Amino acid sequence: MIKVGVVGGTGYTGVELLRLLAQHPDVELKAITSRGDAGVPVANMFPSLRRRVDLCFVDPQSADLGSCDVVFFATPNGIAMQQAAELVAAGVKVIDLAADFRISDIAEWEKWYGMKHACPELVAEAVYGLPEVNREAIKKARVIANPGCYPTAVQLGFLPLVEAGVIELDNLVADAKSGVSGAGRKAETHILFSESADNFQAYGVAGHRHLPEIRQGLSRFANAPVGLTFVPHLTPMIRGIHATLYGRIKKDVDLQALFEERFAGEAFVDVMPKGSHPSTRSVRSANMCRIAVHRPQGGDVVVVLSVIDNLVKGAAGQAVQNMNILFGLDETAGLGQIPLMP
Ligand SMILES: NC(=O)C1=CN([C@@H]2O[C@H](COP(=O)(O)OP(=O)(O)OC[C@H]3O[C@@H](n4cnc5c(N)ncnc54)[C@H](OP(=O)(O)O)[C@@H]3O)[C@@H](O)[C@H]2O)C=CC1
Ligand SMILES: CC(=O)N[C@@H](CCC(=O)OP(=O)(O)O)C(=O)O
């Protein structure tokens, strides 16, 4: 059994990790942290986990993380980078759901995240955990930077087009909508029910911190610089991201075949039949990205629709997928959930 620690077990991605890990055949949960709720049984806070998780939260300072095989950080940005080096030195694998190890350019990271990086040397060796691109490197990683939610939906949607040189790279557009759980469980005015329900709003148009992450990924796929306009929106649903992606076609290829071939054999990317409009509900609670590719009126613009559950393929599910790859398990172990309908 793989001994697992979760730092940040009281948050949304933390409890989602617990839901998935508690059903995983090869995992033993050893430590789940909370600063404010240390000593409280996990199942008291989350009755959905009654009879599945019998641990109490422990304070992160006193948690025995060094005896785990892998530790997930489901914490705000800037926490994992303070503890990763010590864990790695003790032979513990680290999977960070936050952004501490996602951006190779430290100055760029410090600019967008507004803090000094505590551990730049590990950024250089960390592997960006997008399995559909980096599977081989993930197998050997000591630190995995789990991708952001928007970056997962946007990169997977653009991947076949950018890799194959099918679209112009100077002016890609990603118009993305997220459910409110994307903002986490901490109290903030803009995510109050009376502010976010029956409402719809763009934000971060001038620059969102996922912009450099997406741009870095797309530039690597293309092996060339990429121009991207990224506009996120908050939409009144709990879970889900819907990304609508636009690019100008420069090479006339069978787009449906391109997508089907690129993702053939991928358990967690579903290329839908031609003409489809994937819904966020079709991936709710599942580790899945569903994609449809369109060429409206046969023109020179390609439109890709990419949907994920932000908490699963956009966070905890992808983190478990990375753990499976890292430990040589079946990549789908513990990730067989079928989305909830309705
Ligand atoms: N929500 C989403 O859809 C996605 C989130 N992410 C990223 O995952 C991370 C977690 O997000 P999310 O679960 O939404 O956030 P939440 O705000 O819901 O939870 C944050 C968790 O971190 C713990 N925590 C906060 N500060 C510290 C600290 N200084 N030391 C140790 N633990 C701490 C909190 O627990 P306590 O206060 O009890 O200690 C809580 O359990 C973030 O970096 C986020 O950006 C990534 C992809 C998608
Ligand atoms: C709806 C909402 O607020 N979403 C969050 C992004 C989600 C997230 O958790 O960001 P990371 O993946 O980088 O950690 C935001 O825009 O800040």
Side-chain angles (χ1 to χ4, degrees):
M1 297 293 264
I2 297 166
K3 298 193 282 300
V4 173
V6 175
V7 182
T10 57
Y12 282 156
T13 61
V15 67
E16 194 67 355
L17 270 172
L18 299 180
R19 178 177 75 92
L20 299 173
L21 293 169
Q23 300 176 75
H24 196 296
D26 305 300
V27 161
E28 185 188 356
L29 281 164
K30 295 296 280 184
I32 305 167
T33 83
S34 168
R35 296 159 310 157
D37 289 287
V40 173
V42 172
N44 280 19
M45 181 175 290
F46 300 120
S48 56
L49 297 173
R50 278 171 65 82
R51 303 184 180 200
R52 304 306 290 260
V53 176
D54 59 7
L55 298 175
C56 292
F57 290 111
V58 288
D59 189 88
Q61 299 303 325
S62 53
D64 180 16
L65 300 174
S67 66
C68 293
D69 298 309
V70 57
V71 171
F72 293 90
F73 281 87
T75 44
N77 298 309
I79 305 297
M81 68 180 183
Q82 297 169 26
Q83 295 173 49
E86 193 181 332
L87 289 169
V88 164
V92 181
K93 308 274 189 184
V94 170
I95 302 179
D96 181 23
L97 278 72
D100 297 10
F101 300 101
R102 292 184 198 157
I103 300 202
S104 308
D105 182 333
I106 302 292
E108 178 90 336
W109 187 89
E110 290 181 346
K111 183 182 94 182
W112 285 94
Y113 286 87
M115 58 184 110
K116 188 148 181 57
H117 205 291
C119 190
E121 58 285 359
L122 271 185
V123 175
E125 79 152 88
V127 175
Y128 189 69
L130 193 61
E132 293 74 14
V133 178
N134 287 336
R135 188 167 281 116
E136 289 310 308
I138 291 166
K139 288 179 186 167
K140 301 187 281 280
R142 297 195 298 173
V143 178
I144 292 180
N146 211 58
C149 45
Y150 287 121
T152 297
V154 174
Q155 289 177 92
L156 289 175
F158 272 131
L159 175 64
L161 298 166
V162 171
E163 256 182 6
V166 168
I167 51 176
E168 307 282 358
L169 295 177
D170 53 348
N171 197 13
L172 304 177
V173 176
D175 176 319
K177 285 93 184 168
S178 173
V180 179
S181 64
R185 191 162 176 248
K186 62 202 169 301
E188 284 184 294
T189 307
H190 76 287
I191 54 172
L192 289 171
F193 182 78
S194 47
E195 300 283 331
S196 60
D198 194 20
N199 195 10
F200 180 77
Q201 194 173 15
Y203 64 102
V205 181
H208 185 282
R209 66 186 192 286
H210 284 170
L211 176 67
E213 182 182 341
I214 301 170
R215 218 166 30 199
Q216 169 184 274
L218 297 181
S219 307
R220 285 177 181 164
F221 305 161
N223 206 16
V226 162
L228 173 73
T229 303
F230 168 57
V231 181
H233 300 72
L234 190 65
T235 181
M237 57 187 181
I238 297 170
R239 288 169 181 252
I241 284 186
H242 186 299
T244 308
L245 313 173
Y246 303 84
R248 192 165 293 280
I249 297 171
K250 67 173 185 188
K251 210 196 278 181
D252 198 12
V253 300
D254 179 341
L255 296 171
Q256 184 69 22
L258 177 75
F259 275 70
E260 286 178 4
E261 281 160 26
R262 178 58 180 83
F263 292 119
E266 289 296 347
F268 300 118
V269 181
D270 175 28
V271 178
M272 298 189 64
K274 210 169 173 171
S276 300
H277 296 87
S279 65
T280 54
R281 186 169 285 186
S282 74
V283 293
R284 194 169 196 277
S285 77
N287 193 51
M288 183 59 71
C289 176
R290 295 197 207 279
I291 296 180
V293 58
H294 292 252
R295 187 172 182 171
Q297 296 91 50
D300 64 354
V301 173
V302 54
V303 179
V304 181
L305 310 175
S306 172
V307 299
I308 59 170
D309 183 325
N310 54 297
L311 293 176
V312 193
K313 185 60 175 161
Q318 185 142 261
V320 172
Q321 187 181 351
N322 280 316
M323 179 195 76
N324 289 343
I325 297 169
L326 197 53
F327 287 89
L329 306 173
D330 177 345
E331 195 168 319
T332 65
L335 293 173
Q337 299 79 13
I338 294 173
L340 292 168
M341 292 289 279

